[in-house]
């Protein structure tokens, strides 16, 4: 029986890859993924076969991995962060129903919410939610309702995909929704560009300033709750242990 490991590589550097992910890559005969992510790991495995597709060809990539595994090979389908958080685990498992002769194992990774939080301090110290601002697969009306619900519940909010060439004002729009639904303009926020990679750059600011800040697809944004504060220059949301 062939096998597909679905592997989250973490935020970027090999030191932030889990041991389980590294072991899956060691076992794999074939590495499959988007070219940018394969470039992160092929220097570690120069002798392994690689298969890749371009952007917006995720289902083709999944089928390529499953077809290769059906031939009896062990394949690692890779993506950044965690494979189960906006990653490749979901589409691959949907297709895997057509491949009962292929074993699938999902390997956890470190998603941007966790790695970015560590750079800033501990903003996710209490209840939080993760919302992608990309409306490529999710209607903006749905994203808007989720932002409103998060604000009304005073959740810490972690935003993925906050901007792109076609969505330059989406972070501003998201901030306006959060403000209109109850977030204070003084709510402490943070962002991290290029988490775990060259050029990593964290910033901390109030929500009113975040609204006017330019970001890109390589930025992860954190919007605090009413309890989020600065502690020795780090962004912290208290868990509640101290009175």
């Amino acid at each position: 029986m062939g096998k597909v490991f679905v592997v989250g590589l973490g935020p970027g550097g090999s030191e932030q890859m889990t041991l389980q992910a590294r072991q899956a890559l060691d076992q794999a005969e074939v590495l499959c993924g988007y070219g940018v992510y394969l470039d992160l790991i092929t220097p570690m495995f120069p002798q392994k076969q690689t298969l890749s597709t371009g952007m917006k060809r995720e289902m083709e990539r999944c089928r390529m991995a499953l077809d290769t595994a059906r031939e009896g090979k062990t394949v690692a389908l890779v993506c950044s962060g965690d494979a189960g958080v906006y990653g490749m685990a979901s589409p691959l498992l949907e297709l895997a129903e057509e491949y009962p002769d292929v074993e699938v194992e999902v390997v956890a990774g470190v998603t941007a919410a966790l790695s970015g939080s560590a750079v800033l301090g501990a903003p996710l110290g209490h209840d939080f939610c993760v919302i992608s601002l990309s409306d490529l697969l999710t209607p903006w009306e749905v994203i808007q309702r989720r932002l409103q619900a998060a604000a009304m519940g005073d959740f810490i909010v972690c935003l993925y995909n906050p901007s792109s060439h076609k969505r330059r004002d989406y972070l501003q729009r998201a901030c306006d929704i959060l403000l209109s639904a109850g977030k204070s303009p003084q709510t402490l926020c943070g962002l991290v560009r290029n988490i775990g990679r060259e050029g990593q750059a964290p910033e901390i600011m109030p929500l009113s300033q975040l609204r006017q800040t330019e970001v890109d697809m390589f930025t992860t944004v954190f919007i605090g709750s009413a309890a989020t504060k600065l502690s020795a220059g780090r962004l912290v949301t208290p868990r509640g242990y101290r009175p």
Side-chain angles (χ1 to χ4, degrees):
M1 177 182 287
K3 181 170 184 175
V4 177
F5 290 103
V6 196
V7 182
L9 299 176
S14 59
E15 73 280 0
Q16 294 169 309
M17 187 188 303
T18 68
L19 177 59
Q20 185 184 15
R22 179 57 190 256
Q23 290 171 340
L25 297 176
D26 286 336
Q27 292 180 50
E29 301 165 81
V30 181
L31 305 177
C32 181
Y34 177 48
V36 172
Y37 304 136
L38 286 178
D39 289 344
L40 296 174
I41 58 171
T42 47
M44 295 186 285
F45 306 100
Q47 304 305 318
K48 291 187 186 286
Q49 179 186 355
T50 59
L51 301 171
S52 66
T53 66
M55 291 184 68
K56 300 182 181 180
R57 295 169 63 186
E58 288 81 3
M59 299 307 290
E60 179 182 340
R61 203 177 310 148
C62 290
R63 195 170 292 280
M64 182 186 297
L66 290 163
D67 284 338
T68 304
R70 179 174 270 174
E71 298 171 1
K73 296 181 179 180
T74 301
V75 181
L77 176 63
V78 303
C79 60
S80 65
D82 176 272
V85 181
Y86 305 115
M88 296 302 293
S90 174
L92 184 109
L93 287 171
E94 288 183 281
L95 276 182
E97 294 179 338
E98 303 172 22
Y99 296 78
D101 52 339
V102 173
E103 181 184 356
V104 175
E105 181 178 340
V106 180
V107 179
V110 181
T111 188
L114 304 182
S115 52
S117 174
V119 172
L120 291 168
L124 304 184
H126 214 297
D127 298 336
F128 69 93
C129 62
V130 178
I131 300 174
S132 170
L133 295 189
S134 172
D135 58 358
L136 182 63
L137 300 174
T138 305
W140 178 254
E141 293 74 17
V142 174
I143 297 171
Q144 179 174 328
R145 289 200 301 270
R146 291 172 178 170
L147 289 166
Q148 290 169 335
M152 288 187 287
D154 194 28
F155 282 87
I156 303 127
V157 182
C158 179
L159 297 178
Y160 283 31
N161 306 311
S163 180
S164 71
H165 291 299
K166 295 181 179 179
R167 300 182 293 105
R168 292 190 179 277
D169 66 336
Y170 273 34
L171 178 59
Q172 179 181 333
R173 291 167 65 180
C175 290
D176 288 341
I177 291 167
L178 294 169
L179 287 164
S180 65
K183 287 280 188 185
S184 166
Q186 301 308 312
T187 301
L188 283 176
C189 305
L191 59 84
V192 188
R193 295 181 172 88
N194 300 311
I195 300 170
R197 302 178 189 179
E198 185 178 353
Q200 175 178 287
E203 294 183 55
I204 296 174
M205 64 194 72
L207 181 55
S208 57
Q209 182 180 339
L210 176 67
R211 183 186 177 279
Q212 305 168 36
T213 301
E214 290 191 11
V215 296
D216 57 27
M217 288 290 286
F218 301 103
T219 305
T220 305
V221 176
F222 299 80
I223 298 165
S225 71
T228 303
K229 63 180 183 179
L230 277 178
S231 182
R234 310 294 293 276
L235 195 62
V236 176
T237 304
R239 180 68 181 88
Y241 293 113
R242 296 183 67 182

